[in-house]
Amino acid sequence: MKYDIEKIKKNCPCLNGIRYMDAVDSTNKEARRIAPDGEDNMLVIAERQDGGRGRLGRSWHCAGEDAIAMSILVKPQIDSEKVSMLTIIAALAVSRGIADAAGLDTSVKWPNDIKSDGRKICGILSESVFSGSEFYSVIGIGINVNNDCFPDDISDIAGSVKQCTGKCVNREDIVIEIINRFYEYYEVLCREGDLSSLMDEYNGKCITEGGINKYGELILADGSLKRSGEV
Ligand code: BTN
């Protein structure tokens, strides 16, 4: 079933607009295309994404109407070195949103893989761009919602909300919960400037040993810190 965009608009008062498309190469790319002239707090969302991008140069498989492919465009008033914290709040928002909309508990592999039953059900790709005096961030979120199966190359590692709960879930309910949770966390991050009030919640869900500090950095076993990448 296609998205009910009016329902998303009505239930996400923090958004200034929604760019909705039937098909797109990548919602992150589209968000970056509209960003220079676009408003703050926009949602880019598509029924189908044919050239989805993942972290570390990988591609992202998106199963049409069984999956969610969306990007949030924000123009935050925070220092550039703090943008990696947007990734952390996005992971929290996705985990909470999936719990609230679908009743599924998930864990987070630092920095932002959302997993359930050991399988990845969501990936997040945050990209920040400095253009002249403007600075914006695109937070791309891909979620496997009602998939029954996956291509061979990812069938061992990928999972969907439906596979974990046994139930089909309405995609816009998940989108609405995630957007609203994201803006709650975003308000805290912008007001406080770090993750002091949010890191305990994140660490409670984090399956990566060490957990994060108030800047979203992973605390490694030898006490050193990792700001980005993978473990
Ligand atoms: C990862 O590698 O785990 C991150 C995957 C991010 C995929 C999402 S789908 C929506 C948005 N558009 C993209 O091209 N990528 C992100």
Side-chain angles (χ1 to χ4, degrees):
M1 203 162 60
K2 289 195 189 285
Y3 285 111
D4 180 345
I5 293 297
E6 285 310 312
K7 183 175 166 189
I8 298 176
K9 262 188 202 154
K10 196 171 135 218
N11 287 284
C12 297
C14 290
L15 292 175
N16 285 326
I18 298 180
R19 169 115 178 87
Y20 167 66
M21 288 148 300
D22 205 43
V24 72
D25 50 357
S26 150
T27 56
N28 268 34
K29 281 190 183 167
E30 180 65 12
R32 291 178 62 156
R33 286 191 284 261
I34 65 168
D37 302 316
E39 285 208 68
D40 193 4
N41 302 320
M42 287 285 295
L43 176 68
V44 177
I45 189 163
E47 298 291 349
R48 281 196 353 261
Q49 176 179 258
D50 303 319
R53 300 164 61 223
R55 294 179 67 233
L56 310 172
R58 298 179 190 130
S59 60
W60 179 259
H61 165 75
C62 180
E65 291 178 25
D66 284 336
I68 292 171
M70 65 179 185
S71 302
I72 305 169
L73 169 63
V74 288
K75 300 186 173 181
Q77 303 293 317
I78 54 174
D79 298 340
S80 56
E81 74 267 16
K82 292 183 177 163
V83 293
S84 59
M85 292 188 261
L86 290 173
T87 293
I88 299 288
I89 63 165
L92 270 179
V94 169
S95 183
R96 280 270 310 280
I98 290 176
D100 293 347
L104 176 66
D105 276 336
T106 54
S107 44
V108 183
K109 177 174 172 273
W110 182 88
N112 52 13
D113 282 356
I114 307 297
K115 295 183 124 186
S116 183
D117 294 340
R119 285 169 181 271
K120 177 162 164 173
I121 60 174
C122 166
I124 299 171
L125 175 66
S126 299
E127 299 180 285
S128 291
V129 177
F130 297 84
S131 143
S133 58
E134 265 236 312
F135 162 63
Y136 59 85
S137 274
V138 170
I139 300 128
I141 299 172
I143 308 175
N144 304 320
V145 182
N146 292 318
N147 316 48
D148 289 312
C149 56
F150 291 92
D152 287 348
D153 57 330
I154 53 168
S155 61
D156 289 349
I157 50 170
S160 72
V161 176
K162 183 181 174 193
Q163 286 174 327
C164 295
T165 60
K167 287 180 280 189
C168 265
V169 192
N170 188 316
R171 288 181 305 166
E172 61 260 359
D173 290 344
I174 297 184
V175 171
I176 289 166
E177 291 301 331
I178 291 173
I179 297 293
N180 288 323
R181 297 296 80 74
F182 175 81
Y183 279 103
E184 285 170 18
Y185 293 122
Y186 185 60
E187 190 274 321
V188 175
L189 174 60
C190 292
R191 179 165 33 87
E192 298 186 353
D194 62 35
L195 301 167
S196 300
S197 318
L198 303 174
M199 63 187 216
D200 286 351
E201 185 179 347
Y202 182 93
N203 285 334
K205 293 176 185 291
C206 185
I207 50 171
T208 312
E209 218 182 310
I212 59 164
N213 63 14
K214 66 178 182 176
Y215 302 113
E217 297 162 328
L218 185 70
I219 305 165
L220 299 174
D222 62 2
S224 62
L225 300 171
K226 196 170 165 63
R227 181 175 277 190
S228 61
E230 241 180 10
V231 284

